[in-house]
Amino acid sequence: RRMRLKYGVIYDPNGYIVTNYHVANETRTSITVVLYDGSQYEAQYIYGDELSDLAVIKIEKTDCDYAVFGDSDHMTYGDLVLAIGNPKGLGLSVTDGIISRPGESVTFDDATMTLLRTSAAINNGNSGGGLFNLKGELIGIVNAKLASSSIDNIGYAIPSTTVVKCINDLKD
């Protein structure tokens, strides 16, 4: 299946991108990455893990601007954060919020994960996007939200400590 990457975060100057497994995985035969400047690159799926909902893809571009990982273990209640994504395919978007609950145990589809809960607006298309602290450090990869007519702004991100560990484990 062909797809246009909704969102991911370049974490290495050699074109490595982290996103969600539910966004990019081995079933994707073609992935097109569109950078913020409009340039497009075909990406290759490198590896992923369905249980952690993380995947790594790569574009053939060097000297990429890239995000620096922050330490999600230092995030606490009320810390200000920014979620960057492409909600509903409308283009680059930044929303602000706080850490509502660090280290929350959440179960989706019979898989339990420890996630950062945020009040930043998370919508379809934010999956794989970054959650950043106010220093501009990547402290999470957005992966889910609770949605109903009685719920507003309950979004979740995979903590950066989990992301880094998973990337290193998969690489090894």
Side-chain angles (χ1 to χ4, degrees), residues 80-166:
L80 295 171
V81 292
L82 301 172
I84 301 178
N86 183 11
K88 304 297 276 177
L90 297 172
L92 183 65
S93 173
V94 179
T95 59
D96 64 336
I98 61 169
I99 294 294
S100 305
R101 187 160 182 196
E104 181 173 356
S105 182
V106 182
T107 302
F108 295 107
D109 300 325
D110 298 325
T112 300
M113 307 172 81
T114 300
L115 302 173
L116 298 170
R117 185 198 304 174
T118 180
S119 67
I122 303 298
N123 295 290
N124 293 340
N126 278 96
S127 288
L131 188 68
F132 293 86
N133 63 23
L134 294 188
K135 295 179 188 174
E137 298 168 330
L138 179 64
I139 53 99
I141 296 295
V142 173
N143 73 323
K145 71 174 187 162
L146 291 182
S148 79
S149 61
S150 62
I151 297 174
D152 287 325
N153 296 342
I154 298 180
Y156 293 97
I158 302 165
S160 60
T161 53
T162 302
V163 174
V164 170
K165 182 181 182 327
C166 186

Side-chain angles (χ1 to χ4, degrees), residues 3-8 19 23 32 85-87 89 124-129:
M3 74 160 294
R4 189 172 169 134
L5 185 64
K6 293 181 181 176
Y7 213 77
T19 189
V23 171
T32 301
N86 183 11
N124 293 340
N126 278 96
S127 288

Side-chain angles (χ1 to χ4, degrees), residues 36-53:
Y36 65 90
D37 65 1
S39 58
Q40 296 187 26
Y41 296 86
E42 289 303 308
Q44 177 185 1
Y45 171 80
I46 303 297
Y47 44 70
D49 180 63
E50 186 173 10
L51 289 177
S52 67
D53 194 23

